[in-house]
Amino acid sequence: MSQTRSVYEFNSAIVREPSSSVVNGLRANDRGGPTYEGVKAEHEAYISALRNAGVAVKVLPPLEIFPDSLFVEDPALVFTSGAILLRPGTPSRVDETVELIPVLRDMFETVLELPAPGQADGGDIMYTPMGVLIGLSARTDRIGAEALIACIGKLGGKAQVAETPKGVLHFKTASSLLDDESVISTAALADAAAFNGFRRIVVPEGEEPAANVLRVNDVVFASAHYPRTLEMLDKEGYRVVPLKTVEIEKIDAGLSCMSLRWYRETK
Ligand code: CIR
């Protein structure tokens, strides 16, 4: 996994189309479910943004029996050197991994499996130039995190455990990598030891969901409806691509959740 390119340089991605069952997606607080049409529109704009950023996107078909399966980031983890099938930490999502096995075997020479009994969701995992951070959460337990560190080691990488703030679904719900030196997070993660050595940008109070941005090559995808965060990122010199996330936020999702991303080496 030793590489000279940035961890946010991607030329390949996998996404999965939302199914009409997305209206029943998991949520911690019910503020009314999303509409299928609304999610679909946000998903289509996201695919276009990935393509505009120079990424080849493989679009998988919808899976009616898995309402949350468009959040393809959670059941697997991908690197240039191989893929890891995770063990999602919530019962209704566990078998999403099965659906990904043939896809990943087709696209990667090496596909590892996180061993039982640990659990880990991709939403808790952040690539950084200093190694991979694995946030412990209600979805990712310590056994899963330790087993994942071993899997990442087999692919030539290193990883360490971090803490996810209480009441937050995933580590990356509250933080994201912006560039090789900088992270953006909510105030709850602003002093996190995991980010020692990084420049830290904190989203304004009231705009917490805006901490889930997605750096892809030269651009930063950010939620379109958090004006103070958008202005901050713009002032910091980032090329921001604002994307609507109103519907997916109703089921606790953000911009990183909707893809698996990696740099595929051509032989
Ligand atoms: C879930 O609770 O699993 C979905 N409703 C949201 C998943 C969001 N995924 C992510 O942040 N990586």
Side-chain angles (χ1 to χ4, degrees):
M1 212 182 286
S2 61
Q3 52 186 32
T4 48
R5 74 183 74 86
S6 295
V7 293
Y8 49 81
E9 196 176 331
F10 304 119
N11 61 8
S12 309
I14 295 171
V15 304
R16 185 178 293 287
E17 283 185 13
S19 60
S20 53
S21 61
V22 72
V23 299
N24 300 318
L26 292 173
R27 66 210 76 167
N29 299 307
D30 199 352
R31 293 161 283 148
T35 64
Y36 165 72
E37 293 73 20
V39 174
K40 178 86 177 135
E42 289 176 2
H43 195 254
E44 277 169 7
Y46 180 82
I47 295 173
S48 299
L50 281 173
R51 289 185 170 140
N52 289 340
V55 179
V57 184
K58 181 173 177 69
V59 183
L60 303 177
L63 294 172
E64 208 53 46
I65 54 164
F66 296 114
D68 288 293
S69 57
L70 74 155
F71 305 125
V72 75
E73 173 178 71
D74 293 319
L77 189 61
V78 294
F79 300 95
T80 300
S81 52
I84 305 170
L85 284 161
L86 299 176
R87 291 172 41 82
T90 194
S92 68
R93 302 201 60 190
V94 169
D95 287 337
E96 287 180 28
T97 52
V98 177
E99 305 288 339
L100 279 176
I101 293 173
V103 180
L104 296 179
R105 293 221 169 114
D106 186 45
M107 299 184 95
F108 293 88
E109 266 174 39
T110 308
V111 180
L112 305 177
E113 288 183 28
L114 190 73
Q119 298 180 331
D121 269 18
D124 282 315
I125 297 154
M126 185 190 292
Y127 310 120
T128 87
M130 267 87 111
V132 177
L133 295 176
I134 306 171
L136 298 177
S137 71
R139 300 282 179 92
T140 298
D141 59 18
R142 193 166 282 278
I143 303 176
E146 297 294 343
L148 188 53
I149 291 172
C151 289
I152 292 170
K154 283 185 194 156
L155 294 178
K158 60 178 181 151
Q160 70 179 70
V161 166
E163 295 294 332
T164 301
K166 290 265 171 303
V168 169
L169 175 60
H170 287 131
F171 185 62
K172 284 189 300 185
T173 310
S175 61
S176 313
L177 186 77
L178 279 171
D179 59 36
D180 286 332
E181 288 101 37
S182 318
V183 290
I184 184 166
S185 78
T186 61
L189 271 178
D191 299 321
F195 296 139
N196 284 347
F198 284 93
R199 187 172 73 104
R200 302 160 194 234
I201 295 177
V202 179
V203 296
E205 205 183 323
E207 294 201 354
E208 283 72 17
N212 180 274
V213 303
L214 181 61
R215 175 73 194 246
V216 181
N217 301 328
D218 296 335
V219 294
V220 176
F221 295 1
S223 293
H225 44 286
Y226 298 105
R228 288 177 291 154
T229 304
L230 290 178
E231 195 186 325
M232 223 167 58
L233 291 171
D234 186 57
K235 279 207 181 116
E236 292 284 345
Y238 294 103
R239 282 182 51 203
V240 177
V241 176
L243 289 168
K244 235 179 121 190
T245 56
V246 175
E247 294 300 305
I248 60 165
E249 276 181 27
K250 292 177 184 166
I251 44 174
D252 302 344
L255 292 164
S256 69
C257 328
M258 293 190 287
S259 58
L260 284 168
R261 309 156 293 273
W262 75 106
Y263 190 90
R264 179 181 208 147
E265 264 159 9
T266 42
K267 291 180 188 149

